[in-house]
Amino acid sequence: FRTGDLGYFDADGHLHISGRIKEIIIRNGTNVFSQDIDATLRAHPEVADAKTVGVPDDMVGERIYTACVLEENASVTDRELKGWAQERLSRHMWPDSVSLMGALPAGGTGKIATGVLRKILTGALSEELLATLNNGGRVENEGGADARVDGG
């Protein structure tokens, strides 16, 4: 059966889970593991957390977008963090964009909501919200029924 997990067996035969297949970014035909980029940026002394997502792109397959949450009183900029990553990662792993956020979006289980994060980083979430507001606050549910964003 398939779980979507990535892993490997060590010399003693123990299974180690190392990530998720959905977290692989394919850029110019090369597999990029988002966890490697995240770990590199988390190693920066002013970064509390980082999450990288792939964004579809007609030219390269997927662009690499990373969101970073800074430690309290941090002063590092998104540009400096991009440079930090470029100094430590192979060129094919360089983020196209590094964005600073107050927190990473999480679902009910506490896991990072990568779909929501992708929409935030690309501006698609803003476009959805504006479209909803322009529609009188009405959004169509998956079942086809209308619902009001304000709960009405």
Side-chain angles (χ1 to χ4, degrees), residues 12-61:
D12 296 326
H14 296 103
L15 175 63
H16 296 268
I17 304 298
S18 58
R20 305 270 307 151
I21 290 173
K22 292 193 314 188
E23 293 180 346
I24 294 176
I25 299 167
I26 302 174
R27 181 176 177 156
N28 290 323
T30 302
N31 289 351
V32 176
F33 294 92
S34 62
Q35 306 95 312
D36 295 340
I37 300 167
D38 298 342
T40 298
L41 284 160
R42 283 188 200 115
H44 189 285
E46 295 187 55
V47 174
D49 202 0
K51 183 64 180 165
T52 301
V53 295
V55 175
D57 181 80
D58 291 337
M59 297 266 300
V60 297

Side-chain angles (χ1 to χ4, degrees), residues 120-143:
I120 292 169
L121 294 175
T122 61
L125 185 60
S126 297
E127 292 171 11
E128 284 182 20
L129 291 172
L130 286 173
T132 299
L133 291 173
N134 289 334
N135 192 26
R138 301 197 72 74
V139 59
E140 188 175 306
N141 290 328
E142 288 182 25

Side-chain angles (χ1 to χ4, degrees), residues 15 48 53 61 69 81 84 97 119 141:
L15 175 63
V53 295
V69 178
L81 288 174
W84 166 274
S97 171
K119 287 180 179 182
N141 290 328

Side-chain angles (χ1 to χ4, degrees), residues 40-150:
T40 298
L41 284 160
R42 283 188 200 115
H44 189 285
E46 295 187 55
V47 174
D49 202 0
K51 183 64 180 165
T52 301
V53 295
V55 175
D57 181 80
D58 291 337
M59 297 266 300
V60 297
E62 288 182 283
R63 297 267 175 203
I64 299 173
Y65 282 38
T66 302
C68 292
V69 178
L70 300 182
E71 296 286 356
E72 192 172 331
N73 300 317
S75 62
V76 69
T77 67
D78 52 349
R79 184 180 213 139
E80 291 168 336
L81 288 174
K82 191 172 180 181
W84 166 274
Q86 289 175 347
E87 291 171 5
R88 290 159 176 79
L89 295 168
S90 299
R91 185 174 184 84
H92 71 278
M93 298 173 71
W94 289 1
D96 295 292
S97 171
V98 174
S99 300
L100 305 181
M101 298 180 67
L104 298 174
T109 62
K111 291 174 66 175
I112 296 172
T114 55
V116 173
L117 178 60
R118 187 175 290 108
K119 287 180 179 182
I120 292 169
L121 294 175
T122 61
L125 185 60
S126 297
E127 292 171 11
E128 284 182 20
L129 291 172
L130 286 173
T132 299
L133 291 173
N134 289 334
N135 192 26
R138 301 197 72 74
V139 59
E140 188 175 306
N141 290 328
E142 288 182 25
D146 282 345
R148 287 195 54 84
V149 171
D150 63 5

